[in-house]
Amino acid sequence: PNNQRQHQSESAAEHNPLNSRALSTRRELYERDFPVYKQPVEVGSFSLDSERRFFNDGRQMRYYVEPERNPNFDLRDGYKDRFVKRDDSVKEKLDHVLRWVVANRSKLNSRKTSASSCALDVDFVTWRGHLTKLLTTPYETKEGWMLAATKFRGTIYISEVETEAARRERENRTERHKEMMYWGYKFEQYTCADNVHGAPDPGGVVNTNEAFCTVVQTRLADHRLLFSGEVDCRDKDPGAPAPPACYVELKTSAEICTPKQRSNFHRFKLLKWWAQSFLPGVPRVVAGFRDHEGVVVSVETFHISKISQLIKNEYNCWRPTVCMNFCCDFLTFVKQTVTEDSPSVVYMFSWEPRRDVTFSVHRDSQFSFLPHWYVEEMTR
Ligand code: A3P
Ligand code: MG
Ligand code: MG
C-alpha cells in the first residue's frame, strides 16, 4: 500500500491544479485507460486558393482516384518547372481558422442563453497540426515546440510559434531536402482529380498554396475542441459516408526493404500518420512507397483503426492511450494556467525533448496573435 501511494503521488504531483508550474512528458505517467474522445463532427470547411486567399466553401476539395498497385509515378517530375511553393516564412497563425469562425459563428452557439450568446461554446480553438504535435510529444526525441495560448471570452486559442531551431532548419534546408518536400504534393497530384468525374492531371502545376480544410468539433474528456485541418481528398463514391469519414489522407514514404526499415516505419512513421488522421476522424491513409530516385513503386491503404494492431508486435512501441492522455493532461494544464481573459495576453508553453513543459506570460508582446478584426467582430 505504501508503494501504491508513492506511485500515485508521483504521477499526481504534476497534475495538482494549485501548484503545477510544469508538466511532465514521461510516458509512464500516461499509461492509463483511453480517455473519452467523441467522434469528431464536421461543422464546416473552407478553402485556400492558389494565392492563399480564404473562401468559406469547399472549392478546393479533391477526389481520390485509386492508382494501380505498382504505379511507377515519378515524383521528381515538374519540380523545376511546374511548382509554385507556398512561402513558409509567412506566419498565418490562426487567421484562416478565425476567418471561418467569424463567418460561421451562428453554427457554434448551440446554447442560446443570454449569458453565452456572445461566446463560442468551446474550450479550445486551434489547428489539428498543433494537436498532432501534442499527441506525439511523449515519443518525440528531436524537435521541441512552442505553443502560444490566449483566453478570450472564455475560449482558449492555441497557436504555434516557430522555435529558433525550427527556423534555422527551415532556412538551411539542403537542395535534396527541398526537392523531397515536393514529392508528397506530387503524389497528391497523381492520385487526385479536381472534380468527382475527373481524372488526375500529372501534367499540371503543383501549387502548395491551395488547400481544403475541414473544421471539426469534438470533446477529449472534459475539453470541448474546435479545430481545423487540411484534408488531401475524399472518396468520390456518392455512397461514401458523410465527412469526415469519406476523407482520405495521402502520404509518401521510403520503400521498405528490410526488417529494420519495417520496424522504423511502425515506430516513427505510423505514429505521426495515426495521430494526424485519428484527431479529425479521417479513417484511412493511402501510402505511396517510393525508391531513392523518387519513383512510387507500390501503393497501400492503412486503416487508422487497425494501426494499433499492426504495431503491437514491435518491442517498446508507442501507444495511442499515452498520446491521448498526454494531450488531455496538457489541455487541463493549459486551462489551469491561462486564467486572465484578454486578447493581448499570451501564455507561452514551451517544450524541449527530455524536459518538462513550462510556460511564461507575455503582455502586449510580439507574441499576441488574435487579430484586431477578430476581437472587434467577436465583441459585437
Ligand atoms: P508526405 O506526407 O507524403 O510526406 P500532408 O501529408 O500532411 O498532407 O503533407 C503533404 C506534404 O507536405 C508531405 O507529403 C510533405 O511532402 C510535405 N510536408 C508536410 N509537412 C512537412 C514537414 N514538416 N517537413 C517536410 N515536408 C512536409
Ligand atoms: Mg495534406
Ligand atoms: Mg498528406
Side-chain angles (χ1 to χ4, degrees), residues 188 232 249-251:
E188 295 175 6
D232 292 335
E249 173 59 42
L250 302 170
K251 290 289 179 195

Side-chain angles (χ1 to χ4, degrees), residues 41-42 48 51 117 141 162 165 215 256 298 300 327 362 365 373:
V41 173
E42 181 177 81
L48 304 173
E51 292 170 51
S117 63
T141 57
E162 189 177 50
V215 182
I256 296 165
S298 68
E300 206 177 317
C327 184
H362 307 261
S365 73
W373 56 259

Side-chain angles (χ1 to χ4, degrees), residues 184-185 187-188 230-232 248-252 276 285-286:
Y185 298 108
F187 181 61
E188 295 175 6
E230 200 246 345
V231 168
D232 292 335
V248 179
E249 173 59 42
L250 302 170
K251 290 289 179 195
T252 60
Q276 181 188 28
V285 175
V286 170

Side-chain angles (χ1 to χ4, degrees), residues 27 31 135-141 271 317-320 322-323:
R27 294 164 203 178
E31 298 268 8
L135 260 61
T136 59
T137 294
Y139 300 104
E140 179 61 51
T141 57
L271 164 60
C317 203
W318 60 275
R319 294 185 62 202
V322 169
C323 300

Side-chain angles (χ1 to χ4, degrees), residues 48 52 86 90-96 127 159 209:
L48 304 173
R52 208 70 182 164
R86 178 172 76 89
V90 176
K91 298 304 168 197
E92 300 173 324
K93 298 171 277 190
L94 289 188
D95 290 6
H96 297 307
W127 279 109
S159 179
N209 288 297

